[in-house]
Amino acid sequence: MKLSEQAIKVSNPGILQVRRYRANGVFAGDIIYHHEWEPEACTFEAFSGENIQLPTDQFQDLLVPVFEEGKLVYHSPDIHTIRRNTLYSVGLFSESVLAMASPAAYPTGLEPRLQDFKMQLIRAAKGE
C-alpha cells in the first residue's frame, strides 16, 4: 500500500472490484470493494464526504479479468458493439450528473470493510 500526506494519493489495498448500483432505471452509485469480500451493505461514505445508501437489488460488477495465469481470457468486442454499449451506459446516468453546467456529484466510495482495513494498515504503518 502506498502512503502519502495527501489522502487522495493513498492507494487502496488488495485486489479490488467496482460494483455499480441502479435505482429507478438510472445508475445510483459505485462502490469499490475487495474482490474476496461480498459487500455487506450499501451504506458508505462517498469520496465527497456524504453518507450514501444504495439499493441492493440491481447492480453489476464492472471489472472483468483480462489475463489469468498469464493467459489472455478476455476478447474485446468489435468497435461497433463498444460504441453501442457506451451510449447505452451513458444514457443510464441521471441528467443531473450529465449536466454541462454544475453537474451533480456521482456517488462513489469504498465499501466499509475495505475502508476499515485501509485505515488499520495506515495506523500500523504509522506505528499507532
Side-chain angles (χ1 to χ4, degrees):
M1 188 169 129
K2 179 186 140 213
L3 298 178
S4 173
E5 292 298 318
Q6 298 174 338
I8 194 71
K9 291 184 176 182
V10 176
S11 64
N12 296 308
I15 299 171
L16 306 176
Q17 178 58 273
V18 179
R19 183 164 286 181
R20 177 161 291 158
Y21 292 89
R22 285 190 196 187
N24 302 319
V26 297
F27 294 140
D30 294 355
I31 194 167
I32 300 168
Y33 70 99
H34 192 284
H35 85 289
E36 292 180 351
W37 307 333
E38 186 70 20
E40 291 178 339
C42 296
T43 301
F44 66 98
E45 182 179 334
F47 294 131
S48 65
E50 180 183 6
N51 283 325
I52 302 293
Q53 173 68 44
L54 294 173
T56 58
D57 57 336
Q58 293 184 20
F59 60 83
Q60 174 186 9
D61 287 340
L62 300 182
L63 305 179
V64 296
V66 175
F67 290 95
E68 288 179 353
E69 298 179 6
K71 301 218 186 294
L72 179 66
V73 295
Y74 178 79
H75 300 285
S76 180
D78 66 78
I79 192 71
H80 303 292
T81 302
I82 293 170
R83 182 178 189 278
R84 187 173 43 253
N85 291 345
T86 300
L87 291 173
Y88 174 75
S89 292
V90 168
L92 294 176
F93 285 97
S94 70
E95 289 182 22
S96 63
V97 169
L98 295 174
M100 295 301 277
S102 301
Y106 181 74
T108 57
L110 298 180
E111 193 267 341
R113 283 181 300 168
L114 179 58
Q115 177 67 29
D116 291 344
F117 182 54
K118 179 178 180 177
M119 296 311 296
Q120 288 173 11
L121 292 176
I122 291 170
R123 285 191 295 273
K126 291 180 177 181
E128 296 176 9

